[in-house]
Amino acid sequence: MSAETPVQSAGTFARLRLRFRAWRGTRPFWAGLFTLLGGVPIAYFPYATLKLGTMSVAMATTAGAGSLIIGVLLVTLGLTMWFQHATRVFAGVAAIVLALVSLVVSNIGGFVVGFLLAMLGGALAVSWAPGKPKAEGAGPHEAEQGPSSEGAVETAPDGAVGEPGAPYHAHDPATDGPADRTPEAAAADSNGGYRVG
């Protein structure tokens, strides 16, 4: 074993961790995880057999098939939230509905554990929104400036007074100062320079 081995494995682990982090950030990861984990106890408990010494306790119910279907659907919805995140709202609402149905069908929703996990996952999926990507090479203020070319109206740098696109504080060459472009000033220009009112 050489001295370079830990550095190479740390680099590989760090790269994998960063790739997973980037993948996780583009989808409702925690919503899918909680929904998936919520389906496991709902599907498992009706078929579980608990052994206490020589005595076995079976928690099977008459609706065992319904519990299995609900659990499998919740696991599928959790995976759907990960890999088809465009359908996250539908998957979240379906997870909430299935969690509510599991209360009456599957041993009080997998002894409330599966119910709570599925409800939390569904709520997170419905409320998740994708982040806005930053423009490459742009600073924090440059990325938020709005449209750049299509449909954007550009203002003239220092247009003459009255031209379209002229700034509000245009330069008046007669007074060598800022032009007063209020409605009263426009009326004063048209009546010989006297302001009325």
Side-chain angles (χ1 to χ4, degrees):
M1 204 162 134
S2 69
E4 296 176 0
T5 305
V7 175
Q8 290 173 351
S9 65
T12 304
F13 176 73
R15 266 188 285 119
L16 290 175
R17 184 179 59 85
L18 290 175
R19 284 181 59 197
F20 174 71
R21 185 177 177 187
W23 177 82
R24 186 186 72 194
T26 60
R27 61 201 73 241
F29 175 76
W30 295 108
L33 183 66
F34 286 134
T35 304
L36 193 138
L37 291 177
V40 172
I42 291 174
Y44 174 74
F45 284 137
Y47 294 100
T49 302
L50 180 64
K51 298 257 185 194
L52 297 173
T54 57
M55 182 176 71
S56 64
V57 178
M59 293 179 272
T61 61
T62 56
S67 300
L68 182 64
I69 290 171
I70 290 173
V72 168
L73 283 175
L74 284 172
V75 169
T76 304
L77 287 172
L79 293 172
T80 300
M81 291 174 196
W82 282 352
F83 298 109
Q84 295 291 326
H85 54 275
T87 61
R88 68 187 180 280
V89 175
F90 167 75
V93 170
I96 291 171
V97 169
L98 286 172
L100 290 171
V101 170
S102 74
L103 283 173
V104 294
V105 172
S106 174
N107 291 332
I108 313 171
F111 296 113
V112 184
V113 174
F115 164 74
L116 290 176
L117 288 171
M119 285 291 285
L120 180 62
L124 286 173
V126 169
S127 65
W128 184 83
K132 295 178 182 176
K134 287 186 178 180
E136 291 183 22
H141 297 293
E142 295 172 8
E144 301 171 2
Q145 283 188 348
S148 59
S149 60
E150 290 186 23
V153 178
E154 295 184 16
T155 60
D158 279 325
V161 178
E163 286 184 9
Y168 182 74
H169 56 281
H171 182 72
D172 188 7
T175 61
D176 198 28
D180 185 12
R181 297 311 307 164
T182 60
E184 292 85 14
D189 289 342
S190 65
N191 68 2
Y194 295 104
R195 292 190 181 196
V196 179

